[in-house]
Amino acid sequence: MTTTPDTARWLRCPLTLDAPEARLVCFPHAGGSAAMFHPWGGRLPGVEVHAVCYPGRAHRIAEPPPADLRRLAAQITDALMPLADRPLILFGHSMGAAVALETAVALQERGVEPLHLFASGSRDAPYPEPEELSDPDELNDAAVVERLLTLGGTDPELAADPEFQELVLPYVRADGRMFHAYTPGPAPMLRCPVTTIVGDVDDDADRRPWSTLTSGPVREHGVRGDHFYLVDEPPLALLGDCLPVPARSGP
């Protein structure tokens, strides 16, 4: 495998493997970063984990955050092509599931068939009506912080810190605007299998008609927890089951 500067800028690999059976590419939620998936490195035998680094946060804080979800997916695809010498499994959480969807489409167009797409924090259901969606620009800072706390995954003490808000809220809003403006292409878009994963008390799961978005099989999988169930219980055993030779998740 020969990586490019784009690969290093867009993807973080917590543990490289000499000859991986497959590569798992993880797409963070709106306002999220690659750091969420760093603990997954080395926990799926034979699987090399790569976490996508969106612009506008973490080590890319000086860059403008993404504004067009389909363009973002195309840029991620450019960075992924050197990694396509091994089967690619895509895992997207919440907004990341939509980014993974568009990345899978872009990979297909370049002759790379993803092995599997996992849509976490997303359920197979009709799209919500426009009036059900919250435009992030209509919310003040306090409302955005409250929304983060309601979803879970954000420490309340940290969320109350003015410096945290000054740093994080701009890209949280930008991600929200991008996701709010995104409209998918005509269905079906994919050929690969899709597994949706949703917590049993997740009232904020993204709704997306996955069964019409792929010509491959769609499986729904329920887990314990809220929208950020994966912080405490990553679905590693489920991911391992989709490998050509199922891998057992490590401790």
Side-chain angles (χ1 to χ4, degrees):
M1 176 188 71
T2 303
T3 59
T4 67
D6 259 2
T7 303
R9 186 162 61 101
W10 282 93
L11 298 160
R12 282 287 185 267
C13 179
L15 181 66
T16 58
L17 303 180
D18 290 335
E21 295 176 28
R23 293 189 168 100
L24 173 66
V25 184
C26 301
F27 298 75
H29 57 282
S33 72
M36 179 181 214
F37 299 105
H38 286 183
W40 293 21
R43 294 186 63 187
L44 276 171
V47 179
E48 190 174 74
V49 176
H50 293 262
V52 175
C53 308
Y54 300 146
R57 68 217 68 195
H59 70 285
R60 303 184 67 182
I61 192 68
E63 301 177 45
D68 182 281
L69 191 144
R70 196 169 279 107
R71 182 172 183 272
L72 171 65
Q75 293 171 319
I76 295 168
T77 303
D78 288 340
L80 276 176
M81 291 306 293
L83 306 181
D85 61 327
R86 294 289 189 272
L88 297 179
I89 305 163
L90 307 186
F91 179 98
H93 183 65
S94 199
M95 180 194 80
V99 184
L101 166 65
E102 288 293 341
T103 302
V105 171
L107 285 167
Q108 285 180 169
E109 291 173 349
R110 301 190 194 193
V112 177
E113 296 288 340
L115 185 65
H116 205 108
L117 189 152
F118 287 89
S120 171
S122 183
R123 62 177 81 248
D124 184 23
Y127 292 116
E129 296 297 324
E131 60 268 19
E132 297 179 64
L133 299 171
S134 297
D135 188 336
D137 288 331
E138 295 177 356
L139 304 176
N140 60 32
D141 286 355
V144 174
V145 170
E146 181 61 30
R147 177 70 175 153
L148 290 175
L149 295 175
T150 299
L151 287 173
T154 303
D155 179 80
E157 185 175 344
L158 184 62
D161 187 316
E163 292 185 4
F164 171 85
Q165 294 182 20
E166 182 179 1
L167 183 68
V168 170
L169 292 190
Y171 66 77
V172 171
R173 285 186 181 278
D175 285 356
R177 281 193 298 271
M178 177 178 69
F179 196 28
H180 188 81
Y182 166 67
T183 54
M189 302 171 69
L190 300 179
R191 294 185 288 268
C192 69
V194 171
T195 298
T196 64
I197 311 173
V198 65
D200 58 1
V201 291
D202 181 2
D203 296 326
D204 298 288
D206 174 45
R207 283 158 41 190
R208 203 159 295 275
W210 291 104
S211 54
T212 69
L213 294 175
T214 183
S215 57
V218 174
R219 179 170 59 145
E220 298 181 289
H221 189 84
V223 296
R224 295 177 300 174
D226 58 17
H227 195 58
F228 283 95
Y229 73 90
L230 69 170
V231 173
D232 295 325
E233 294 189 40
L236 297 174
L238 181 63
L239 301 183
D241 286 344
C242 85
L243 292 174
V245 178
R248 181 177 57 83
S249 61

